[in-house]
Amino acid sequence: MLEIPESHTFAEQLNETINGKKIIHVATDNHPHKFAFYYEDPKGYNDLLKGKIIGRSSAYGGLVEIIVGDTKIVFGDGANIRYFSNNEEIPEKNQLFIQFDDSSSLTCSTQMYALIHIALANEYENEYYDVAKEKPSPLADDFNMEYFEEMLGEVRSNTSIKSFLATKQRIPGLGNGTLQDILFHAKIHPKTKIKMLKVEDNDKLFESVKKTLKLMRKNKGRNTEKTLFGEFGKYETILSSKSFKNPCPVCRDKIVKESYLGGTIYYCPSCQPLIK
């Protein structure tokens, strides 16, 4: 799923790969998926994009935006975006296909569910997009300790750390996937309540949010997610579906996997004890 490291990696790779290309054809729903969420009628996407030139791509939270003249493309959630050169075979199962005048192409398929929006820039309305553009990114300098403490002060004291960090768009693009290693490095259990945190815990949590996401971004995303070219990211996750069966790299204790708040959490019971 697209989170901060992946959206920034996609934006960078798109700028290096498709910027300046001319769109000659757009097709949608080659393989219908009931959880591919389009903006208005996707049958009109070809008319919106045909003949236009790809401009700059940007990342906002877990969203990827591509400017195409007076139109914008926005991808989010489980949007699998792939670039294919003119001699590569295009997979048939996709929900969006964009062909360029040099015979290269861009596709998007759906992983569980995906946001695939194309609209005139001055008509596009999306609450999650607006929030992601408005709030500071943890990768930026204006996401500082003062801002982080303000966020902490705005939630109830019995809110869990997972709920605080990864729900309600408090930090757009920080989801359940990136959360796991952030909390591991901070040595905080995902079920710990905010009221149980000491000042030094707040400091560790803030530093881990900043440093872990920057490291994931530097390494082209997590090794559980793929890049624009279908390669896995280079950041080796400590706590994920790929690695949780391995012992804790610090203490060698067994990693725990369980369901919590509508998703899976992983933690080391020794390094991340639950404070009650």
Side-chain angles (χ1 to χ4, degrees), residues 252-272:
R252 311 308 291 176
D253 198 356
K254 183 178 180 180
I255 299 298
V256 175
K257 172 187 176 182
E258 61 182 70
S259 297
Y260 180 61
L261 293 181
T264 301
I265 55 173
Y266 308 95
Y267 59 89
C268 171
S270 297
C271 294
Q272 299 167 265

Side-chain angles (χ1 to χ4, degrees), residues 124-144:
Y124 184 59
E125 295 181 356
N126 183 322
E127 178 183 356
Y128 293 106
Y129 170 84
D130 292 340
V131 170
K133 289 195 70 173
E134 176 187 343
K135 291 192 174 183
S137 167
L139 301 178
D141 291 340
D142 52 354
F143 189 101
N144 51 32

Side-chain angles (χ1 to χ4, degrees), residues 9-200:
T9 298
F10 273 122
E12 178 182 287
Q13 293 177 332
L14 287 165
N15 281 322
E16 294 172 349
T17 306
I18 68 170
N19 196 306
K21 290 181 182 283
K22 183 178 181 180
I23 297 173
I24 62 171
H25 177 66
V26 178
T28 56
D29 254 357
N30 289 332
H31 187 81
H33 194 296
K34 64 179 180 179
F35 294 120
F37 299 113
Y38 298 103
Y39 190 80
E40 297 184 344
D41 186 358
K43 293 179 181 178
Y45 286 0
N46 184 60
D47 291 336
L48 277 173
L49 293 176
K50 187 176 180 180
K52 294 179 181 178
I53 306 297
I54 295 289
R56 182 163 182 79
S57 298
S58 303
Y60 301 107
L63 301 176
V64 178
E65 174 191 76
I66 306 172
I67 298 299
V68 190
D70 60 353
T71 304
K72 63 178 60 180
I73 304 171
V74 179
F75 296 114
D77 299 320
N80 291 318
I81 315 164
R82 297 289 180 268
Y83 173 78
F84 297 92
S85 62
N86 58 8
N87 60 354
E88 292 182 284
E89 184 177 352
I90 310 300
E92 294 182 3
K93 294 184 178 181
N94 64 72
Q95 282 70 58
L96 177 68
F97 170 78
I98 300 176
Q99 187 174 17
F100 304 112
D101 57 351
D102 62 355
S103 297
S104 64
S105 59
L106 192 73
T107 69
C108 181
S109 58
T110 302
Q111 175 189 337
M112 294 178 62
Y113 55 93
L115 180 150
I116 305 171
H117 287 181
I118 298 176
L120 290 172
N122 62 0
E123 295 181 1
Y124 184 59
E125 295 181 356
N126 183 322
E127 178 183 356
Y128 293 106
Y129 170 84
D130 292 340
V131 170
K133 289 195 70 173
E134 176 187 343
K135 291 192 174 183
S137 167
L139 301 178
D141 291 340
D142 52 354
F143 189 101
N144 51 32
M145 191 63 195
E146 181 181 359
Y147 176 76
F148 191 69
E149 288 177 338
E150 288 178 2
M151 290 176 55
L152 282 168
E154 291 173 353
V155 298
R156 295 180 179 179
S157 63
N158 64 345
T159 301
S160 72
I161 294 301
K162 173 181 173 175
S163 178
F164 166 64
L165 287 179
T167 67
K168 299 185 182 300
Q169 288 281 290
R170 291 191 182 93
I171 306 178
L174 195 165
N176 194 60
T178 53
L179 171 77
Q180 311 303 323
D181 280 16
I182 287 172
L183 295 185
F184 179 80
H185 290 306
K187 300 186 183 303
I188 296 175
H189 193 289
K191 293 183 181 179
T192 297
K193 305 298 184 184
I194 286 178
K195 63 184 177 183
M196 304 306 298
L197 295 181
K198 300 177 181 179
V199 172
E200 54 266 35

Side-chain angles (χ1 to χ4, degrees), residues 207-266:
E207 289 298 324
S208 186
V209 168
K210 298 281 288 187
K211 290 182 179 180
T212 304
L213 289 173
K214 284 184 178 180
L215 186 59
M216 290 176 173
R217 166 69 185 88
K218 180 181 178 181
N219 285 278
K220 307 296 183 183
R222 295 164 285 156
N223 66 340
T224 56
E225 306 296 326
K226 292 184 177 181
T227 70
L228 185 67
F229 309 108
E231 303 166 345
F232 284 106
K234 301 301 182 183
Y235 174 86
E236 296 290 332
T237 50
I238 299 170
L239 301 180
S240 71
S241 59
K242 272 194 170 184
S243 59
F244 80 95
K245 292 183 180 179
N246 300 327
C248 172
V250 175
C251 70
R252 311 308 291 176
D253 198 356
K254 183 178 180 180
I255 299 298
V256 175
K257 172 187 176 182
E258 61 182 70
S259 297
Y260 180 61
L261 293 181
T264 301
I265 55 173
Y266 308 95

